[in-house]
PDB file of all heavy atoms in Angstrom:
ATOM      1  N   GLY A  50      -5.512  -1.625 -13.437  1.00  0.00           N
ATOM      2  CA  GLY A  50      -5.079  -2.724 -14.272  1.00  0.00           C
ATOM      3  C   GLY A  50      -3.628  -3.098 -14.099  1.00  0.00           C
ATOM      4  O   GLY A  50      -3.198  -4.143 -14.604  1.00  0.00           O
ATOM      5  N   ARG A  51      -2.860  -2.267 -13.405  1.00  0.00           N
ATOM      6  CA  ARG A  51      -1.439  -2.536 -13.203  1.00  0.00           C
ATOM      7  C   ARG A  51      -1.090  -2.752 -11.732  1.00  0.00           C
ATOM      8  O   ARG A  51      -0.220  -3.561 -11.420  1.00  0.00           O
ATOM      9  CB  ARG A  51      -0.591  -1.385 -13.748  1.00  0.00           C
ATOM     10  CG  ARG A  51      -0.784  -1.133 -15.240  1.00  0.00           C
ATOM     11  CD  ARG A  51       0.225  -0.116 -15.762  1.00  0.00           C
ATOM     12  NE  ARG A  51       0.061   1.197 -15.137  1.00  0.00           N
ATOM     13  CZ  ARG A  51       0.998   1.796 -14.404  1.00  0.00           C
ATOM     14  NH1 ARG A  51       2.176   1.206 -14.211  1.00  0.00           N
ATOM     15  NH2 ARG A  51       0.773   3.000 -13.884  1.00  0.00           N
ATOM     16  N   PHE A  52      -1.749  -2.026 -10.840  1.00  0.00           N
ATOM     17  CA  PHE A  52      -1.480  -2.122  -9.405  1.00  0.00           C
ATOM     18  C   PHE A  52      -2.612  -2.869  -8.714  1.00  0.00           C
ATOM     19  O   PHE A  52      -3.782  -2.759  -9.108  1.00  0.00           O
ATOM     20  CB  PHE A  52      -1.362  -0.737  -8.772  1.00  0.00           C
ATOM     21  CG  PHE A  52      -0.145   0.051  -9.173  1.00  0.00           C
ATOM     22  CD1 PHE A  52       0.695  -0.366 -10.195  1.00  0.00           C
ATOM     23  CD2 PHE A  52       0.153   1.234  -8.513  1.00  0.00           C
ATOM     24  CE1 PHE A  52       1.811   0.371 -10.559  1.00  0.00           C
ATOM     25  CE2 PHE A  52       1.266   1.978  -8.867  1.00  0.00           C
ATOM     26  CZ  PHE A  52       2.095   1.552  -9.887  1.00  0.00           C
ATOM     27  N   THR A  53      -2.270  -3.597  -7.660  1.00  0.00           N
ATOM     28  CA  THR A  53      -3.256  -4.286  -6.844  1.00  0.00           C
ATOM     29  C   THR A  53      -2.947  -4.060  -5.376  1.00  0.00           C
ATOM     30  O   THR A  53      -1.839  -4.357  -4.920  1.00  0.00           O
ATOM     31  CB  THR A  53      -3.282  -5.797  -7.127  1.00  0.00           C
ATOM     32  OG1 THR A  53      -3.554  -6.030  -8.512  1.00  0.00           O
ATOM     33  CG2 THR A  53      -4.363  -6.473  -6.290  1.00  0.00           C
ATOM     34  N   ILE A  54      -3.920  -3.528  -4.641  1.00  0.00           N
ATOM     35  CA  ILE A  54      -3.766  -3.333  -3.206  1.00  0.00           C
ATOM     36  C   ILE A  54      -4.451  -4.483  -2.483  1.00  0.00           C
ATOM     37  O   ILE A  54      -5.501  -4.961  -2.912  1.00  0.00           O
ATOM     38  CB  ILE A  54      -4.336  -1.967  -2.762  1.00  0.00           C
ATOM     39  CG1 ILE A  54      -3.977  -1.681  -1.302  1.00  0.00           C
ATOM     40  CG2 ILE A  54      -5.839  -1.888  -2.983  1.00  0.00           C
ATOM     41  CD1 ILE A  54      -4.308  -0.253  -0.859  1.00  0.00           C
ATOM     42  N   SER A  55      -3.858  -4.932  -1.389  1.00  0.00           N
ATOM     43  CA  SER A  55      -4.426  -6.026  -0.620  1.00  0.00           C
ATOM     44  C   SER A  55      -4.047  -5.873   0.848  1.00  0.00           C
ATOM     45  O   SER A  55      -3.190  -5.068   1.199  1.00  0.00           O
ATOM     46  CB  SER A  55      -3.959  -7.383  -1.158  1.00  0.00           C
ATOM     47  OG  SER A  55      -2.549  -7.514  -1.060  1.00  0.00           O
ATOM     48  N   ARG A  56      -4.710  -6.660   1.686  1.00  0.00           N
ATOM     49  CA  ARG A  56      -4.461  -6.634   3.126  1.00  0.00           C
ATOM     50  C   ARG A  56      -4.096  -8.019   3.620  1.00  0.00           C
ATOM     51  O   ARG A  56      -4.580  -9.034   3.114  1.00  0.00           O
ATOM     52  CB  ARG A  56      -5.705  -6.153   3.887  1.00  0.00           C
ATOM     53  CG  ARG A  56      -6.205  -4.783   3.542  1.00  0.00           C
ATOM     54  CD  ARG A  56      -7.565  -4.535   4.189  1.00  0.00           C
ATOM     55  NE  ARG A  56      -7.499  -4.577   5.655  1.00  0.00           N
ATOM     56  CZ  ARG A  56      -7.846  -3.576   6.456  1.00  0.00           C
ATOM     57  NH1 ARG A  56      -8.284  -2.435   5.930  1.00  0.00           N
ATOM     58  NH2 ARG A  56      -7.766  -3.719   7.770  1.00  0.00           N
ATOM     59  N   ASP A  57      -3.249  -8.050   4.623  1.00  0.00           N
ATOM     60  CA  ASP A  57      -2.966  -9.265   5.374  1.00  0.00           C
ATOM     61  C   ASP A  57      -3.374  -8.961   6.807  1.00  0.00           C
ATOM     62  O   ASP A  57      -2.594  -8.412   7.581  1.00  0.00           O
ATOM     63  CB  ASP A  57      -1.497  -9.649   5.288  1.00  0.00           C
ATOM     64  CG  ASP A  57      -1.200 -10.981   5.948  1.00  0.00           C
ATOM     65  OD1 ASP A  57      -1.940 -11.391   6.853  1.00  0.00           O
ATOM     66  OD2 ASP A  57      -0.205 -11.627   5.550  1.00  0.00           O
ATOM     67  N   ASN A  58      -4.607  -9.291   7.153  1.00  0.00           N
ATOM     68  CA  ASN A  58      -5.154  -8.904   8.446  1.00  0.00           C
ATOM     69  C   ASN A  58      -4.439  -9.587   9.614  1.00  0.00           C
ATOM     70  O   ASN A  58      -4.318  -9.007  10.696  1.00  0.00           O
ATOM     71  CB  ASN A  58      -6.649  -9.206   8.502  1.00  0.00           C
ATOM     72  CG  ASN A  58      -7.455  -8.309   7.589  1.00  0.00           C
ATOM     73  OD1 ASN A  58      -7.118  -7.143   7.384  1.00  0.00           O
ATOM     74  ND2 ASN A  58      -8.541  -8.843   7.037  1.00  0.00           N
ATOM     75  N   ALA A  59      -3.974 -10.805   9.414  1.00  0.00           N
ATOM     76  CA  ALA A  59      -3.269 -11.503  10.479  1.00  0.00           C
ATOM     77  C   ALA A  59      -1.986 -10.786  10.868  1.00  0.00           C
ATOM     78  O   ALA A  59      -1.560 -10.843  12.026  1.00  0.00           O
ATOM     79  CB  ALA A  59      -2.969 -12.938  10.066  1.00  0.00           C
ATOM     80  N   LYS A  60      -1.371 -10.118   9.914  1.00  0.00           N
ATOM     81  CA  LYS A  60      -0.122  -9.410  10.158  1.00  0.00           C
ATOM     82  C   LYS A  60      -0.303  -7.903  10.229  1.00  0.00           C
ATOM     83  O   LYS A  60       0.682  -7.177  10.387  1.00  0.00           O
ATOM     84  CB  LYS A  60       0.897  -9.752   9.075  1.00  0.00           C
ATOM     85  CG  LYS A  60       1.260 -11.226   9.004  1.00  0.00           C
ATOM     86  CD  LYS A  60       2.263 -11.488   7.899  1.00  0.00           C
ATOM     87  CE  LYS A  60       2.630 -12.961   7.826  1.00  0.00           C
ATOM     88  NZ  LYS A  60       3.600 -13.239   6.738  1.00  0.00           N
ATOM     89  N   ASN A  61      -1.548  -7.428  10.099  1.00  0.00           N
ATOM     90  CA  ASN A  61      -1.838  -5.989  10.086  1.00  0.00           C
ATOM     91  C   ASN A  61      -0.987  -5.264   9.053  1.00  0.00           C
ATOM     92  O   ASN A  61      -0.357  -4.242   9.343  1.00  0.00           O
ATOM     93  CB  ASN A  61      -1.637  -5.383  11.475  1.00  0.00           C
ATOM     94  CG  ASN A  61      -2.704  -5.813  12.455  1.00  0.00           C
ATOM     95  OD1 ASN A  61      -3.867  -5.946  12.093  1.00  0.00           O
ATOM     96  ND2 ASN A  61      -2.317  -6.027  13.702  1.00  0.00           N
ATOM     97  N   MET A  62      -0.983  -5.797   7.854  1.00  0.00           N
ATOM     98  CA  MET A  62      -0.181  -5.243   6.777  1.00  0.00           C
ATOM     99  C   MET A  62      -1.056  -4.865   5.584  1.00  0.00           C
ATOM    100  O   MET A  62      -2.099  -5.471   5.343  1.00  0.00           O
ATOM    101  CB  MET A  62       0.877  -6.241   6.309  1.00  0.00           C
ATOM    102  CG  MET A  62       1.927  -6.585   7.329  1.00  0.00           C
ATOM    103  SD  MET A  62       3.134  -7.777   6.701  1.00  0.00           S
ATOM    104  CE  MET A  62       3.877  -6.814   5.384  1.00  0.00           C
ATOM    105  N   VAL A  63      -0.596  -3.874   4.844  1.00  0.00           N
ATOM    106  CA  VAL A  63      -1.181  -3.527   3.566  1.00  0.00           C
ATOM    107  C   VAL A  63      -0.096  -3.668   2.506  1.00  0.00           C
ATOM    108  O   VAL A  63       1.058  -3.288   2.730  1.00  0.00           O
ATOM    109  CB  VAL A  63      -1.793  -2.107   3.566  1.00  0.00           C
ATOM    110  CG1 VAL A  63      -0.746  -1.052   3.883  1.00  0.00           C
ATOM    111  CG2 VAL A  63      -2.477  -1.814   2.237  1.00  0.00           C
ATOM    112  N   LEU A  64      -0.465  -4.239   1.367  1.00  0.00           N
ATOM    113  CA  LEU A  64       0.481  -4.523   0.302  1.00  0.00           C
ATOM    114  C   LEU A  64       0.068  -3.800  -0.972  1.00  0.00           C
ATOM    115  O   LEU A  64      -1.107  -3.541  -1.201  1.00  0.00           O
ATOM    116  CB  LEU A  64       0.542  -6.027   0.031  1.00  0.00           C
ATOM    117  CG  LEU A  64       0.766  -6.930   1.249  1.00  0.00           C
ATOM    118  CD1 LEU A  64       0.613  -8.389   0.861  1.00  0.00           C
ATOM    119  CD2 LEU A  64       2.147  -6.684   1.848  1.00  0.00           C
ATOM    120  N   LEU A  65       1.043  -3.489  -1.793  1.00  0.00           N
ATOM    121  CA  LEU A  65       0.778  -2.905  -3.104  1.00  0.00           C
ATOM    122  C   LEU A  65       1.646  -3.619  -4.127  1.00  0.00           C
ATOM    123  O   LEU A  65       2.862  -3.431  -4.152  1.00  0.00           O
ATOM    124  CB  LEU A  65       1.060  -1.402  -3.117  1.00  0.00           C
ATOM    125  CG  LEU A  65       0.685  -0.680  -4.414  1.00  0.00           C
ATOM    126  CD1 LEU A  65      -0.836  -0.665  -4.594  1.00  0.00           C
ATOM    127  CD2 LEU A  65       1.230   0.746  -4.429  1.00  0.00           C
ATOM    128  N   GLN A  66       1.016  -4.454  -4.933  1.00  0.00           N
ATOM    129  CA  GLN A  66       1.705  -5.124  -6.027  1.00  0.00           C
ATOM    130  C   GLN A  66       1.660  -4.221  -7.243  1.00  0.00           C
ATOM    131  O   GLN A  66       0.580  -3.860  -7.711  1.00  0.00           O
ATOM    132  CB  GLN A  66       1.049  -6.468  -6.337  1.00  0.00           C
ATOM    133  CG  GLN A  66       1.687  -7.225  -7.492  1.00  0.00           C
ATOM    134  CD  GLN A  66       3.085  -7.682  -7.179  1.00  0.00           C
ATOM    135  OE1 GLN A  66       3.337  -8.219  -6.107  1.00  0.00           O
ATOM    136  NE2 GLN A  66       4.004  -7.464  -8.112  1.00  0.00           N
ATOM    137  N   MET A  67       2.824  -3.859  -7.760  1.00  0.00           N
ATOM    138  CA  MET A  67       2.929  -2.940  -8.881  1.00  0.00           C
ATOM    139  C   MET A  67       3.544  -3.671 -10.061  1.00  0.00           C
ATOM    140  O   MET A  67       4.702  -4.081 -10.011  1.00  0.00           O
ATOM    141  CB  MET A  67       3.765  -1.718  -8.508  1.00  0.00           C
ATOM    142  CG  MET A  67       3.258  -0.976  -7.276  1.00  0.00           C
ATOM    143  SD  MET A  67       4.178   0.551  -6.942  1.00  0.00           S
ATOM    144  CE  MET A  67       5.791  -0.131  -6.566  1.00  0.00           C
ATOM    145  N   ASN A  68       2.762  -3.837 -11.117  1.00  0.00           N
ATOM    146  CA  ASN A  68       3.208  -4.499 -12.328  1.00  0.00           C
ATOM    147  C   ASN A  68       3.228  -3.514 -13.488  1.00  0.00           C
ATOM    148  O   ASN A  68       2.620  -2.449 -13.436  1.00  0.00           O
ATOM    149  CB  ASN A  68       2.293  -5.677 -12.667  1.00  0.00           C
ATOM    150  CG  ASN A  68       2.281  -6.745 -11.604  1.00  0.00           C
ATOM    151  OD1 ASN A  68       3.298  -7.006 -10.954  1.00  0.00           O
ATOM    152  ND2 ASN A  68       1.137  -7.394 -11.426  1.00  0.00           N
ATOM    153  N   SER A  69       3.921  -3.897 -14.550  1.00  0.00           N
ATOM    154  CA  SER A  69       4.008  -3.067 -15.755  1.00  0.00           C
ATOM    155  C   SER A  69       4.373  -1.634 -15.426  1.00  0.00           C
ATOM    156  O   SER A  69       3.747  -0.678 -15.898  1.00  0.00           O
ATOM    157  CB  SER A  69       2.680  -3.129 -16.524  1.00  0.00           C
ATOM    158  OG  SER A  69       2.353  -4.455 -16.889  1.00  0.00           O
ATOM    159  N   LEU A  70       5.392  -1.474 -14.617  1.00  0.00           N
ATOM    160  CA  LEU A  70       5.771  -0.149 -14.139  1.00  0.00           C
ATOM    161  C   LEU A  70       6.254   0.746 -15.267  1.00  0.00           C
ATOM    162  O   LEU A  70       6.903   0.290 -16.212  1.00  0.00           O
ATOM    163  CB  LEU A  70       6.838  -0.271 -13.064  1.00  0.00           C
ATOM    164  CG  LEU A  70       6.306  -0.709 -11.694  1.00  0.00           C
ATOM    165  CD1 LEU A  70       7.437  -1.213 -10.809  1.00  0.00           C
ATOM    166  CD2 LEU A  70       5.581   0.450 -11.022  1.00  0.00           C
ATOM    167  N   LYS A  71       5.925   2.022 -15.145  1.00  0.00           N
ATOM    168  CA  LYS A  71       6.284   3.041 -16.116  1.00  0.00           C
ATOM    169  C   LYS A  71       7.154   4.101 -15.454  1.00  0.00           C
ATOM    170  O   LYS A  71       7.084   4.290 -14.245  1.00  0.00           O
ATOM    171  CB  LYS A  71       5.023   3.702 -16.682  1.00  0.00           C
ATOM    172  CG  LYS A  71       4.017   2.745 -17.294  1.00  0.00           C
ATOM    173  CD  LYS A  71       2.752   3.489 -17.703  1.00  0.00           C
ATOM    174  CE  LYS A  71       1.735   2.549 -18.306  1.00  0.00           C
ATOM    175  NZ  LYS A  71       0.478   3.271 -18.694  1.00  0.00           N
ATOM    176  N   PRO A  72       7.970   4.812 -16.236  1.00  0.00           N
ATOM    177  CA  PRO A  72       8.777   5.883 -15.643  1.00  0.00           C
ATOM    178  C   PRO A  72       7.955   6.898 -14.861  1.00  0.00           C
ATOM    179  O   PRO A  72       8.437   7.428 -13.850  1.00  0.00           O
ATOM    180  CB  PRO A  72       9.451   6.528 -16.858  1.00  0.00           C
ATOM    181  CG  PRO A  72       9.564   5.410 -17.839  1.00  0.00           C
ATOM    182  CD  PRO A  72       8.306   4.603 -17.651  1.00  0.00           C
ATOM    183  N   GLU A  73       6.731   7.167 -15.294  1.00  0.00           N
ATOM    184  CA  GLU A  73       5.889   8.121 -14.590  1.00  0.00           C
ATOM    185  C   GLU A  73       5.400   7.619 -13.237  1.00  0.00           C
ATOM    186  O   GLU A  73       4.798   8.375 -12.472  1.00  0.00           O
ATOM    187  CB  GLU A  73       4.690   8.536 -15.455  1.00  0.00           C
ATOM    188  CG  GLU A  73       3.939   7.368 -16.061  1.00  0.00           C
ATOM    189  CD  GLU A  73       4.365   7.070 -17.493  1.00  0.00           C
ATOM    190  OE1 GLU A  73       5.583   7.067 -17.754  1.00  0.00           O
ATOM    191  OE2 GLU A  73       3.474   6.858 -18.343  1.00  0.00           O
ATOM    192  N   ASP A  74       5.651   6.349 -12.924  1.00  0.00           N
ATOM    193  CA  ASP A  74       5.351   5.828 -11.597  1.00  0.00           C
ATOM    194  C   ASP A  74       6.427   6.179 -10.580  1.00  0.00           C
ATOM    195  O   ASP A  74       6.254   5.922  -9.384  1.00  0.00           O
ATOM    196  CB  ASP A  74       5.187   4.306 -11.631  1.00  0.00           C
ATOM    197  CG  ASP A  74       3.992   3.857 -12.453  1.00  0.00           C
ATOM    198  OD1 ASP A  74       2.918   4.495 -12.348  1.00  0.00           O
ATOM    199  OD2 ASP A  74       4.123   2.866 -13.192  1.00  0.00           O
ATOM    200  N   THR A  75       7.537   6.735 -11.040  1.00  0.00           N
ATOM    201  CA  THR A  75       8.630   7.104 -10.153  1.00  0.00           C
ATOM    202  C   THR A  75       8.155   8.128  -9.133  1.00  0.00           C
ATOM    203  O   THR A  75       7.639   9.184  -9.487  1.00  0.00           O
ATOM    204  CB  THR A  75       9.806   7.660 -10.949  1.00  0.00           C
ATOM    205  OG1 THR A  75      10.333   6.644 -11.805  1.00  0.00           O
ATOM    206  CG2 THR A  75      10.911   8.145 -10.020  1.00  0.00           C
ATOM    207  N   ALA A  76       8.338   7.814  -7.861  1.00  0.00           N
ATOM    208  CA  ALA A  76       7.881   8.684  -6.785  1.00  0.00           C
ATOM    209  C   ALA A  76       8.279   8.071  -5.455  1.00  0.00           C
ATOM    210  O   ALA A  76       8.729   6.922  -5.390  1.00  0.00           O
ATOM    211  CB  ALA A  76       6.359   8.867  -6.832  1.00  0.00           C
ATOM    212  N   VAL A  77       8.106   8.841  -4.398  1.00  0.00           N
ATOM    213  CA  VAL A  77       8.162   8.299  -3.052  1.00  0.00           C
ATOM    214  C   VAL A  77       6.760   7.827  -2.702  1.00  0.00           C
ATOM    215  O   VAL A  77       5.800   8.590  -2.823  1.00  0.00           O
ATOM    216  CB  VAL A  77       8.655   9.337  -2.030  1.00  0.00           C
ATOM    217  CG1 VAL A  77       8.636   8.751  -0.623  1.00  0.00           C
ATOM    218  CG2 VAL A  77      10.062   9.805  -2.386  1.00  0.00           C
ATOM    219  N   TYR A  78       6.646   6.586  -2.287  1.00  0.00           N
ATOM    220  CA  TYR A  78       5.361   6.000  -1.956  1.00  0.00           C
ATOM    221  C   TYR A  78       5.191   5.956  -0.447  1.00  0.00           C
ATOM    222  O   TYR A  78       6.083   5.504   0.277  1.00  0.00           O
ATOM    223  CB  TYR A  78       5.245   4.593  -2.544  1.00  0.00           C
ATOM    224  CG  TYR A  78       4.987   4.595  -4.031  1.00  0.00           C
ATOM    225  CD1 TYR A  78       5.976   4.983  -4.926  1.00  0.00           C
ATOM    226  CD2 TYR A  78       3.745   4.225  -4.547  1.00  0.00           C
ATOM    227  CE1 TYR A  78       5.738   5.017  -6.285  1.00  0.00           C
ATOM    228  CE2 TYR A  78       3.499   4.244  -5.907  1.00  0.00           C
ATOM    229  CZ  TYR A  78       4.501   4.645  -6.774  1.00  0.00           C
ATOM    230  OH  TYR A  78       4.256   4.663  -8.130  1.00  0.00           O
ATOM    231  N   TYR A  79       4.036   6.415   0.023  1.00  0.00           N
ATOM    232  CA  TYR A  79       3.753   6.525   1.447  1.00  0.00           C
ATOM    233  C   TYR A  79       2.568   5.652   1.835  1.00  0.00           C
ATOM    234  O   TYR A  79       1.515   5.703   1.191  1.00  0.00           O
ATOM    235  CB  TYR A  79       3.428   7.971   1.838  1.00  0.00           C
ATOM    236  CG  TYR A  79       4.561   8.944   1.638  1.00  0.00           C
ATOM    237  CD1 TYR A  79       4.710   9.625   0.442  1.00  0.00           C
ATOM    238  CD2 TYR A  79       5.473   9.189   2.661  1.00  0.00           C
ATOM    239  CE1 TYR A  79       5.743  10.531   0.254  1.00  0.00           C
ATOM    240  CE2 TYR A  79       6.502  10.088   2.484  1.00  0.00           C
ATOM    241  CZ  TYR A  79       6.630  10.760   1.274  1.00  0.00           C
ATOM    242  OH  TYR A  79       7.654  11.660   1.107  1.00  0.00           O
ATOM    243  N   CYS A  80       2.736   4.898   2.885  1.00  0.00           N
ATOM    244  CA  CYS A  80       1.647   4.142   3.474  1.00  0.00           C
ATOM    245  C   CYS A  80       0.817   5.056   4.363  1.00  0.00           C
ATOM    246  O   CYS A  80       1.358   5.941   5.038  1.00  0.00           O
ATOM    247  CB  CYS A  80       2.214   2.977   4.285  1.00  0.00           C
ATOM    248  SG  CYS A  80       0.988   1.969   5.130  1.00  0.00           S
ATOM    249  N   ASN A  81      -0.492   4.849   4.372  1.00  0.00           N
ATOM    250  CA  ASN A  81      -1.393   5.647   5.194  1.00  0.00           C
ATOM    251  C   ASN A  81      -2.484   4.742   5.758  1.00  0.00           C
ATOM    252  O   ASN A  81      -2.983   3.871   5.053  1.00  0.00           O
ATOM    253  CB  ASN A  81      -2.012   6.775   4.368  1.00  0.00           C
ATOM    254  CG  ASN A  81      -2.946   7.648   5.177  1.00  0.00           C
ATOM    255  OD1 ASN A  81      -4.155   7.429   5.188  1.00  0.00           O
ATOM    256  ND2 ASN A  81      -2.382   8.645   5.859  1.00  0.00           N
ATOM    257  N   ALA A  82      -2.846   4.962   7.025  1.00  0.00           N
ATOM    258  CA  ALA A  82      -3.852   4.110   7.639  1.00  0.00           C
ATOM    259  C   ALA A  82      -4.565   4.815   8.768  1.00  0.00           C
ATOM    260  O   ALA A  82      -3.968   5.640   9.475  1.00  0.00           O
ATOM    261  CB  ALA A  82      -3.219   2.823   8.167  1.00  0.00           C
ATOM    262  N   ASP A  83      -5.851   4.499   8.926  1.00  0.00           N
ATOM    263  CA  ASP A  83      -6.618   4.900  10.098  1.00  0.00           C
ATOM    264  C   ASP A  83      -6.508   3.784  11.123  1.00  0.00           C
ATOM    265  O   ASP A  83      -6.903   2.647  10.850  1.00  0.00           O
ATOM    266  CB  ASP A  83      -8.078   5.141   9.744  1.00  0.00           C
ATOM    267  CG  ASP A  83      -8.295   6.409   8.952  1.00  0.00           C
ATOM    268  OD1 ASP A  83      -7.454   7.326   9.047  1.00  0.00           O
ATOM    269  OD2 ASP A  83      -9.312   6.490   8.237  1.00  0.00           O
ATOM    270  N   LEU A  84      -5.979   4.117  12.291  1.00  0.00           N
ATOM    271  CA  LEU A  84      -5.728   3.131  13.335  1.00  0.00           C
ATOM    272  C   LEU A  84      -6.380   3.536  14.643  1.00  0.00           C
ATOM    273  O   LEU A  84      -6.488   4.722  14.951  1.00  0.00           O
ATOM    274  CB  LEU A  84      -4.225   2.957  13.580  1.00  0.00           C
ATOM    275  CG  LEU A  84      -3.335   2.648  12.381  1.00  0.00           C
ATOM    276  CD1 LEU A  84      -1.876   2.608  12.825  1.00  0.00           C
ATOM    277  CD2 LEU A  84      -3.729   1.323  11.748  1.00  0.00           C
ATOM    278  N   TRP A  85      -6.794   2.545  15.424  1.00  0.00           N
ATOM    279  CA  TRP A  85      -7.197   2.742  16.803  1.00  0.00           C
ATOM    280  C   TRP A  85      -6.119   2.061  17.637  1.00  0.00           C
ATOM    281  O   TRP A  85      -6.108   0.829  17.760  1.00  0.00           O
ATOM    282  CB  TRP A  85      -8.577   2.161  17.087  1.00  0.00           C
ATOM    283  CG  TRP A  85      -9.181   2.624  18.371  1.00  0.00           C
ATOM    284  CD1 TRP A  85      -8.591   2.663  19.606  1.00  0.00           C
ATOM    285  CD2 TRP A  85     -10.508   3.124  18.559  1.00  0.00           C
ATOM    286  NE1 TRP A  85      -9.453   3.148  20.545  1.00  0.00           N
ATOM    287  CE2 TRP A  85     -10.652   3.443  19.925  1.00  0.00           C
ATOM    288  CE3 TRP A  85     -11.589   3.328  17.714  1.00  0.00           C
ATOM    289  CZ2 TRP A  85     -11.826   3.958  20.463  1.00  0.00           C
ATOM    290  CZ3 TRP A  85     -12.762   3.830  18.239  1.00  0.00           C
ATOM    291  CH2 TRP A  85     -12.865   4.145  19.597  1.00  0.00           C
ATOM    292  N   VAL A  86      -5.238   2.870  18.187  1.00  0.00           N
ATOM    293  CA  VAL A  86      -4.074   2.346  18.878  1.00  0.00           C
ATOM    294  C   VAL A  86      -4.320   2.292  20.372  1.00  0.00           C
ATOM    295  O   VAL A  86      -5.263   2.875  20.899  1.00  0.00           O
ATOM    296  CB  VAL A  86      -2.816   3.186  18.577  1.00  0.00           C
ATOM    297  CG1 VAL A  86      -2.569   3.231  17.077  1.00  0.00           C
ATOM    298  CG2 VAL A  86      -2.969   4.596  19.139  1.00  0.00           C
ATOM    299  N   SER A  87      -3.453   1.587  21.060  1.00  0.00           N
ATOM    300  CA  SER A  87      -3.534   1.463  22.506  1.00  0.00           C
ATOM    301  C   SER A  87      -3.487   2.833  23.169  1.00  0.00           C
ATOM    302  O   SER A  87      -2.614   3.647  22.875  1.00  0.00           O
ATOM    303  CB  SER A  87      -2.381   0.600  23.023  1.00  0.00           C
ATOM    304  OG  SER A  87      -2.411   0.489  24.427  1.00  0.00           O
ATOM    305  N   GLY A  88      -4.462   3.095  24.044  1.00  0.00           N
ATOM    306  CA  GLY A  88      -4.521   4.358  24.754  1.00  0.00           C
ATOM    307  C   GLY A  88      -5.339   5.429  24.067  1.00  0.00           C
ATOM    308  O   GLY A  88      -5.613   6.472  24.671  1.00  0.00           O
ATOM    309  N   ALA A  89      -5.738   5.200  22.829  1.00  0.00           N
ATOM    310  CA  ALA A  89      -6.504   6.185  22.086  1.00  0.00           C
ATOM    311  C   ALA A  89      -7.988   6.054  22.392  1.00  0.00           C
ATOM    312  O   ALA A  89      -8.455   5.018  22.863  1.00  0.00           O
ATOM    313  CB  ALA A  89      -6.265   6.031  20.589  1.00  0.00           C
TER     314      ALA A  89
END
């Protein structure tokens, strides 16, 4: 209800819109993805 994840496939990006942030949201945020890269 507060965060929304989305993709921009044309740019190969993932986004995280974070609203109504709380102190307990304080953290280091890490992006993670399964990729098929060149040469793999």
